Amino acid sequence: MKYIVGIPYVNRLDLLQKAIESIKPYWNHTLIIDNSDERDLRGHELSSMVQIYEPPVPLTFTQSMNYIIRIAEEKGCDIWMYMHGDAEAHEGTPEALLTIVDSLLKEGRKWGAVFTLGDTLAAYSMLAQKEIGYFDTIIRDYFADTDYYRRMNLAGYELVTTPLFDKMNHFQSATINSDIMRAFINTITYPQAQAYYELKWGGPHTLEKYKTPFNR
């Protein structure tokens, strides 16, 4: 099974280091996208463990996710994986997740995503990706995953919850809470993203009316 693990990074290097240390079995497959304002990871020791990509300009969350998918496509991966930079996997969790995904692939089930504690560490099917497309970059951050998973559901792909939900730590919202300017921007962009999502799907999350974007 060929795969890559992508981690978009913005701030809280201390938490990123914990995240990386907790997924040692993935190191040869891991890509960190350095979206920090000060290029925190340039020349950092983490580059001896995992691959670090410094884009010309910091990418949004959705741009980062699409970049990870593009790399997975180029490498001919069976799956791509995503991990929050403020999450930490318990010992054995990385291997357990791969075992579950491998079983799903062998069973031939039509699945789109496999979750641990939500998508703090998650795996995604490249077969599903080919059908539903990329993340909607009109959405920068929040609601991007909601939109992506709705498209998976509409296409008939299963979202798989595993028993690994209690095998992850998540320092939730650490990125926003550690940056006053980012928190301020979020107060503006969050309602914009919410309004766009409701316009796109004809209602708020769980109350959507449209089966196709914008009812087309």
Side-chain angles (χ1 to χ4, degrees):
M1 178 172 53
K2 296 185 67 175
Y3 67 95
I4 65 167
V5 182
I7 305 177
Y9 167 77
V10 174
N11 59 26
R12 291 301 302 268
L13 183 54
D14 58 325
L15 295 181
L16 177 66
Q17 288 178 300
K18 284 186 176 183
I20 296 301
E21 289 169 1
S22 74
I23 57 166
K24 189 172 182 179
Y26 294 166
W27 281 2
N28 291 336
H29 307 269
T30 299
L31 168 69
I32 302 175
I33 303 175
D34 185 1
N35 295 318
S36 61
D37 295 329
E38 302 300 326
R39 303 308 200 191
D40 298 350
L41 303 183
R42 186 176 292 176
H44 196 274
E45 62 182 9
L46 283 175
S47 62
S48 64
M49 306 174 191
V50 299
Q51 181 182 352
I52 297 175
Y53 170 64
E54 183 181 298
V57 295
L59 305 179
T60 65
F61 170 75
T62 48
Q63 289 172 336
S64 296
M65 297 296 266
N66 286 343
Y67 181 76
I68 296 166
I69 294 168
R70 288 285 192 183
I71 298 300
E73 289 175 331
E74 291 176 6
K75 292 181 177 294
C77 292
D78 302 295
I79 66 169
W80 63 280
M81 303 175 72
Y82 162 65
M83 184 177 185
H84 288 228
D86 56 1
E88 185 179 22
H90 294 193
E91 184 176 357
T93 300
E95 299 94 328
L97 179 58
L98 284 182
T99 297
I100 292 171
V101 171
D102 186 56
S103 296
L104 289 170
L105 290 173
K106 289 177 179 177
E107 290 174 19
R109 283 166 62 177
K110 189 177 180 180
W111 63 276
V114 179
F115 301 127
T116 53
L117 177 59
D119 60 8
T120 52
L121 177 61
Y124 300 86
S125 165
M126 289 302 295
L127 290 178
Q129 171 59 36
K130 289 177 182 178
E131 183 171 347
I132 70 170
Y134 300 93
F135 278 75
D136 185 344
T137 54
I138 298 297
I139 307 173
R140 291 173 48 89
D141 301 291
Y142 287 100
F143 291 93
D145 54 349
T146 307
D147 176 83
Y148 195 69
Y149 300 143
R150 173 161 178 78
R151 287 152 53 200
M152 279 190 173
N153 277 320
L154 290 172
Y157 287 93
E158 180 183 0
L159 303 180
V160 181
T161 301
T162 71
L164 301 175
F165 62 89
D166 62 347
K167 302 298 182 182
M168 295 287 298
N169 297 329
H170 186 207
F171 306 95
Q172 197 166 5
S173 300
T175 297
I176 289 178
N177 293 336
S178 300
D179 186 330
I180 295 176
M181 181 57 68
R182 192 172 297 276
F184 172 71
I185 292 174
N186 182 63
T187 64
I188 300 171
T189 58
Y190 185 95
Q192 291 176 338
Q194 183 177 28
Y196 173 79
Y197 180 89
E198 293 180 11
L199 179 66
K200 182 175 182 178
W201 296 110
H205 179 47
T206 73
L207 296 175
E208 299 92 337
K209 298 176 182 176
Y210 302 158
K211 299 297 183 182
T212 57
F214 307 105
N215 202 29
R216 293 184 177 177

